[in-house]
């Protein structure tokens, strides 16, 4: 799998969701997809991002889009977070971070002066035809919500 760029066909992938069911990106052809990568379910920044998409879900649906979140968390952790925050969309488990790496959302991070490998908060908007319309790498939770909604609203 190679890193998609704006204007490229998004590479297909399949991952397990919070129920352990296999979800393929290509299952959503014919609808826009807001795919967002986040470090860990239940953490403060991730909750801001996920709940921002939850709170604006009607606007996302009006744009005929679906939301998919992706992180290294296991399905049971994803299911608990969905229940805790009343999220109405699927979260995908990528514990080996193969998809996250391919989409350049995995790399060196730093916290309190310590360097480690982890998820780089990002999002992509994929068109009905599977073409990547927008890509935002290394984005803050609030900016991710704002920019994704703006891109979806612009058609």
């Amino acid at each position: 799998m190679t890193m998609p760029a704006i204007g490229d066909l998004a590479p297909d992938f399949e991952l397990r969701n919070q129920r352990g069911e296999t979800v393929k990106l290509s299952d959503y052809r014919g609808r826009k997809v807001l795919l967002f990568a986040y470090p860990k379910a239940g953490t403060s920044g991730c909750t801001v991002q996920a709940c921002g998409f939850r709170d604006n879900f009607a606007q996302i649906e009006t744009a005929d889009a679906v939301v998919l979140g992706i992180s290294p968390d296991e399905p049971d952790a994803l299911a608990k977070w969905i229940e805790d925050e009343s999220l109405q969309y699927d979260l995908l488990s990528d514990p080996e971070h193969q998809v996250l790496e391919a989409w350049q959302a995995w790399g060196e991070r730093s916290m309190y002066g310590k360097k480690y490998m982890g998820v780089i908060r990002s999002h992509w908007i994929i068109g009905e035809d599977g073409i990547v319309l927008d890509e935002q790498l290394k984005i803050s939770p609030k900016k991710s919500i704002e920019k994704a909604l703006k891109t979806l609203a612009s058609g």
Side-chain angles (χ1 to χ4, degrees):
M1 192 180 327
T2 59
M3 166 60 188
I6 293 173
D8 287 352
L9 182 65
D12 199 16
F13 62 79
E14 56 181 64
L15 293 170
R16 291 178 305 143
N17 68 9
Q18 67 277 1
R19 292 178 298 281
E21 302 163 343
T22 299
V23 173
K24 293 184 353 184
L25 183 60
S26 59
D27 291 343
Y28 296 97
R29 286 284 162 81
R31 295 189 74 190
K32 292 178 191 142
V33 176
L34 163 52
L35 176 66
F36 74 101
Y38 62 94
K40 186 166 177 53
T43 57
S44 60
C46 298
T47 299
V48 166
Q49 187 180 28
C51 291
F53 296 135
R54 176 201 66 200
D55 295 346
N56 290 281
F57 199 70
Q59 183 180 339
I60 293 166
E61 284 188 311
T62 297
D64 196 27
V66 297
V67 178
L68 296 173
I70 181 173
S71 78
D73 295 309
E74 292 292 338
D76 58 340
L78 300 176
K80 181 177 181 341
W81 195 36
I82 284 174
E83 184 178 332
D84 289 349
E85 300 300 337
S86 301
L87 304 178
Q88 64 277 69
Y89 51 83
D90 277 345
L91 299 176
L92 306 178
S93 174
D94 187 15
E96 304 299 320
H97 40 84
Q98 292 175 331
V99 174
L100 290 163
E101 284 182 41
W103 288 65
Q104 294 195 337
W106 182 267
E108 188 173 84
R109 307 269 325 266
S110 179
M111 185 182 289
Y112 306 117
K114 299 244 186 221
K115 295 198 182 292
Y116 63 96
M117 296 299 285
V119 176
I120 298 165
R121 187 181 315 281
S122 306
H123 79 250
W124 303 265
I125 305 291
I126 302 157
E128 296 94 333
D129 54 2
I131 301 296
V132 178
L133 303 176
D134 187 41
E135 166 190 83
Q136 300 292 327
L137 302 174
K138 298 181 183 174
I139 191 165
S140 74
K142 287 184 179 179
K143 283 284 182 205
S144 179
I145 298 158
E146 291 169 20
K147 288 187 177 223
L149 293 173
K150 184 177 178 183
T151 300
L152 287 171
S154 68

